[in-house]
Amino acid sequence: MQWGRGALVAALFAVGAGAIGAPPSSLPPAPDTGWLVHGGTNDEQRFSPLDQINDGNVDRLGLAWYQDIGLARGLEATPIVADGVLYLSTAWSMVRAFDARTGKPLWSFDPEVPRDTLVKACCDAVNRGVALSDGKVVVATLDGRLIALDAKSGRQLWSVVTVDQAQPYTITGAPRIAKGKVLIGNAGAELGVRGYVSAYDLADGKLAWRFYTVPGDPAKAPENAAMARARQTWKGDLWWKRGGGGTPWDAIVYDERLDLVFIGTGNGAPWNQAERSPGGGDNLYLSSIVALRPDTGEYVWHYQETPGETWDYTSTQPLMIADLAVGGRTRHVIMHAPKNGFFYILDAATGELLSARNFVPVNWASGIDMKSGRPIANPKARYEQTGKPAVVLPGSRGGHNWMPWSYSPRTGLVYFPAQETAEVFFAEPGFRMRRNAYNTADDLFGLSPQTNIPTPPGKGYLLAWNPVEQREVWRVPHADVGNGGTLATAGNLVVEGEARGMLGIYRATDGKRLWAMDVQGSAMSGAVSYAVGGQQYIAISVGCGGDYVGTCRLVDAQGRRPILDRLMVFKLGGQAQLPPRPAPQPIALDPPPATATAQQVKAGGHLFGLYCAICHGGEARSSGLNPDLRASPALHGDLFEQVVRGGLLKDAGMASFADALTRDEVSSIRAYVIARANEDKRAGK
Ligand code: CA
């Protein structure tokens, strides 16, 4: 990307001459600029050097074009733009290519992900983006494949399976490309897998190397020195039977200057540490930033943010590289604001901790000890050791999740959707590993009476953070947690979507809202900016879904609204209009009479929490993404058994649970759903 003085002068002129009603054609042309890699550039600052759209004229921003994707699932992908073509991955790991100027569809690719893969996914069939290099578009699929396409035609060039598909691995993250190798991680720590990142040759898809994030079979010799060191930090051998976790499902960054790759690793599997490493230990390399050599995958350094992780504190949140003046001299650093609520600055070459400060209220640690680099831990938060429930801040949704963040070298500020969350953690009584279930060993769905403790309500805001001084500069409060990723631009703008469907543009220096639009769905993914034919565009994918589907309010008292998954592209003077949002459809509850015993309903409710609630909602109330079982026709006759164990709706995304649940257990779950439906029908909900 180029950024010249001419463009700056031209843009300043544009601000000065920004006469009301001036046609966009009168604007000085923006130099052709793509959005070539996931984070904008390899340092992943998500800063656009374009400023044709700026704080003096953004009120004239309008919709240039949009495209409905039509899959009615979440869209979390960062578009990639090069040579006038915009590439977008969608739900079910499909890829679409559009003319970046007009929105004309150019090609599409469907990897035909088996729909019952959904049972392995914690958070919808989302995909966070493609990588582009050397005329190839690379996408990773939900069922664990890595596929290279011809960027011109969308034709498949090669495809490799990157996971053991018999295990509950999934991939939702965007691949990155470093030195001719495609890097990809995986997900699945909630169900129980061993995480790793792999590198494949871009030319032919041949596996170059693989780095595991947790140790392997304790009966065998460690695979390498890094695994030998990691093994010292685990106790017993449960982790090997239960997966261990550490899945690096999002952050991978290539540092060209240091020739290092940094990965952010996931939480433990199970969450509850006593159920994977009884007696404690740091459990390397969970919840860590790990530096690797891109040519070989060799370990270089690591920094563990949450030793002995037990609260789903992933460190998979986006990583960013920058040069900052820390302690009076310019340092080449990594910035990170993971789920655990602390903002870290590390020396990128060595992993040395330079500073850390909490950006939201936290209580699992009172701070980070700068001498040892370790958290000053609060023993009361360790529910797996105390045997008591603990209200922990942040909760498992974290102080910041996967949503992209940005840094403006102009303002020196980092912009991200921060959120205050709290959660009751309590060891799940009688925990055992269950196939196709959420195996956290934490009583996530409050099935034990002990967990009935009130927690403070969640709070979400756009946060502008000065990383050098480790302090908040401004914030914009939002209605919910789970707001969208950000883009910062040289036009002194920050673009951010809100969970409930507004897309906002703010002045980067002080957070004043300059523009907003109801985009009819959550704009969770980060926006990007590019210029073609002299015109600057801002593009964002919009679609309710993923982990935060509840906060986009698809369901209210009037019923359920359909998910509108869309790619939306804006420019100054854009005149395109969205069709009106469809009216909500009432949810008609017509259950059979509740005839089961209270005991059977209770047993069914417990199983529902373990197997069904992640997709179909707590208390059998759907968020609107997946069918609301209270209103399901399958409650009548023996259809329920045919669906749940018989796999009748396998191709619609509902896997068979024949391996996991007995006929009697399925009957109990049905009895519970019928009881819930009758309760809500009586209450008029
Ligand atoms: Ca997790």
Side-chain angles (χ1 to χ4, degrees):
M1 280 195 247
Q2 291 132 36
W3 163 250
R5 174 177 291 268
L8 174 64
V9 172
L12 288 173
F13 177 78
V15 175
I20 311 268
S25 57
S26 70
L27 290 166
D32 271 12
T33 305
W35 188 274
L36 303 178
V37 298
H38 191 67
T41 49
N42 275 341
D43 52 18
E44 302 219 354
Q45 293 177 2
R46 288 184 179 258
F47 175 76
S48 169
L50 293 167
D51 68 353
Q52 186 184 69
I53 304 167
N54 56 56
D55 56 357
N57 62 18
V58 69
D59 57 326
R60 289 197 277 130
L61 195 71
L63 192 59
W65 56 268
Y66 70 93
Q67 281 286 350
D68 283 323
I69 303 301
L71 295 170
R73 290 206 165 266
L75 272 189
E76 293 185 354
T78 298
I80 297 291
V81 185
D83 300 325
V85 179
L86 185 153
Y87 305 92
L88 182 79
S89 62
T90 70
W92 302 117
S93 330
M94 297 179 192
V95 184
R96 308 273 304 263
F98 302 95
D99 182 311
R101 198 170 51 83
T102 63
K104 182 183 156 215
L106 301 176
W107 55 258
S108 63
F109 171 79
D110 180 359
E112 297 180 357
V113 170
R115 294 304 190 256
D116 57 352
T117 308
L118 200 55
V119 75
K120 300 179 182 179
C122 77
C123 317
D124 198 5
V126 292
N127 187 284
R128 281 186 294 279
V130 299
L132 173 74
S133 181
D134 209 16
K136 297 184 180 74
V137 170
V138 187
V139 66
T141 67
L142 192 68
D143 58 335
R145 288 170 287 159
L146 190 67
I147 299 176
L149 309 172
D150 181 308
K152 284 219 155 57
S153 65
R155 186 172 60 89
Q156 181 175 310
L157 300 174
W158 53 256
S159 172
V160 290
V161 177
T162 74
V163 300
D164 174 357
Q165 290 176 310
Q167 292 191 51
Y169 283 105
T170 51
I171 303 182
T172 53
R176 311 298 204 281
I177 296 175
K179 299 174 87 180
K181 292 191 170 60
V182 188
L183 308 171
I184 189 67
N186 42 51
E190 270 61 52
L191 286 87
V193 296
R194 181 188 184 199
Y196 55 86
V197 62
S198 315
Y200 294 85
D201 282 332
L202 176 63
D204 56 9
K206 198 164 157 273
L207 180 67
W209 53 259
R210 179 164 287 172
F211 179 86
Y212 285 95
T213 58
V214 298
D217 187 347
K220 294 183 185 160
E223 289 109 326
N224 53 46
M227 288 300 103
R229 176 180 178 171
R231 191 180 286 179
Q232 305 302 314
T233 67
W234 292 72
K235 300 198 174 163
D237 62 359
L238 274 180
W239 91 82
W240 174 244
K241 296 170 186 158
R242 294 176 171 178
T247 44
W249 52 261
D250 197 279
I252 303 174
V253 174
Y254 173 51
D255 188 322
E256 291 164 271
R257 198 185 310 172
L258 297 172
D259 195 30
L260 291 175
V261 166
F262 306 118
I263 62 169
T265 70
N267 55 278
W271 291 2
N272 176 340
Q273 194 194 16
E275 295 290 350
R276 61 167 199 267
S277 180
D282 284 354
N283 295 176
L284 294 174
Y285 299 93
L286 297 180
S287 302
S288 301
I289 300 169
V290 184
L292 304 170
R293 299 225 181 273
D295 294 316
T296 59
E298 185 194 346
Y299 165 97
V300 179
W301 60 256
H302 79 276
Y303 177 77
Q304 190 174 42
E305 293 172 329
T306 314
E309 195 288 306
T310 197
W311 308 280
D312 190 25
Y313 284 167
T314 62
S315 290
T316 51
Q317 285 59 48
L319 293 161
M320 194 189 276
I321 303 166
D323 287 332
L324 294 185
V326 181
R329 64 187 174 105
T330 301
R331 304 284 297 247
H332 187 59
V333 306
I334 295 176
M335 293 193 265
H336 203 210
K339 270 189 182 179
N340 78 12
F342 287 92
F343 194 113
Y344 296 90
I345 298 180
L346 306 179
D347 184 292
T350 63
E352 179 198 350
L353 178 67
L354 300 179
S355 71
R357 172 92 186 272
N358 63 305
F359 58 89
V360 287
V362 305
N363 73 354
W364 68 275
S366 58
I368 309 296
D369 175 47
M370 287 307 296
K371 217 166 154 198
S372 64
R374 295 179 67 88
I376 305 158
N378 169 10
K380 285 191 186 143
R382 300 213 74 107
Y383 63 99
E384 84 288 2
Q385 291 178 13
T386 64
K388 295 184 188 138
V391 177
V392 181
L393 284 68
S396 64
R397 291 184 152 192
H400 171 219
N401 209 329
W402 63 267
M403 294 77 165
W405 63 343
S406 57
Y407 168 68
S408 167
R410 305 293 179 81
T411 62
L413 303 180
V414 176
Y415 306 96
F416 62 109
Q419 52 191 23
E420 297 181 10
T421 61
E423 185 168 320
V424 181
F425 286 85
F426 184 58
E428 180 190 331
F431 169 75
R432 65 176 172 86
M433 289 292 282
R434 296 166 189 269
R435 191 175 154 75
N436 288 347
Y438 226 53
N439 290 306
T440 63
D442 160 53
D443 186 12
L444 189 61
F445 290 98
L447 303 175
S448 312
Q450 292 96 317
T451 59
N452 191 10
I453 304 172
T455 54
K459 222 193 246 187
Y461 37 89
L462 169 60
L463 184 61
W465 188 264
N466 180 323
V468 172
E469 297 170 10
Q470 289 280 24
R471 67 174 177 90
E472 174 176 337
V473 176
W474 53 258
R475 73 167 69 183
V476 177
H478 293 323
D480 295 286
V481 300
N483 297 291
T486 72
L487 163 75
T489 79
N492 197 26
L493 301 175
V494 176
V495 184
E496 192 214 20
E498 282 177 53
R500 284 201 198 181
M502 293 303 283
L503 181 65
I505 301 187
Y506 305 87
R507 192 156 59 202
T509 36
D510 62 6
K512 181 178 181 342
R513 191 163 90 169
L514 303 174
W515 180 92
M517 176 180 168
D518 179 358
V519 293
Q520 305 183 353
S522 292
M524 309 288 277
S525 56
V528 305
S529 192
Y530 59 90
V532 194
Q535 182 105 45
Q536 182 185 358
Y537 298 86
I538 291 174
I540 191 160
S541 54
V542 176
C544 244
D547 192 18
Y548 289 85
V549 63
T551 49
C552 49
R553 301 287 194 276
L554 282 172
V555 178
D556 60 21
Q558 272 74 53
R560 175 191 180 276
R561 290 171 191 268
I563 296 171
L564 304 168
D565 47 340
R566 274 187 185 131
L567 171 63
M568 299 180 64
V569 178
F570 302 88
K571 65 176 183 181
L572 292 176
Q575 299 288 334
Q577 297 283 329
L578 290 180
R581 201 177 176 196
Q585 296 294 314
I587 299 167
L589 300 185
D590 176 32
T595 55
T597 64
Q599 199 189 356
Q600 196 185 12
V601 170
K602 192 175 170 213
H606 190 84
L607 291 166
F608 188 93
L610 294 172
Y611 288 97
C612 319
I614 278 290
C615 293
H616 293 284
E619 301 191 312
R621 265 201 203 105
S622 172
S623 60
L625 178 63
N626 294 304
D628 192 309
L629 299 186
R630 296 170 307 154
S632 173
L635 293 177
H636 298 269
D638 68 347
L639 257 182
F640 202 80
E641 162 76 17
Q642 286 181 45
V643 171
V644 181
R645 280 174 44 86
L648 190 68
L649 297 179
K650 188 162 83 70
D651 294 337
M654 174 61 195
S656 163
F657 282 70
D659 293 349
L661 294 164
T662 64
R663 285 184 82 95
D664 281 354
E665 287 174 327
V666 172
S667 285
S668 300
I669 293 172
R670 174 171 172 263
Y672 167 73
V673 178
I674 289 172
R676 286 287 307 108
N678 277 286
E679 258 171 54
D680 287 352
K681 193 179 174 188
R682 270 196 307 277
K685 286 183 194 168

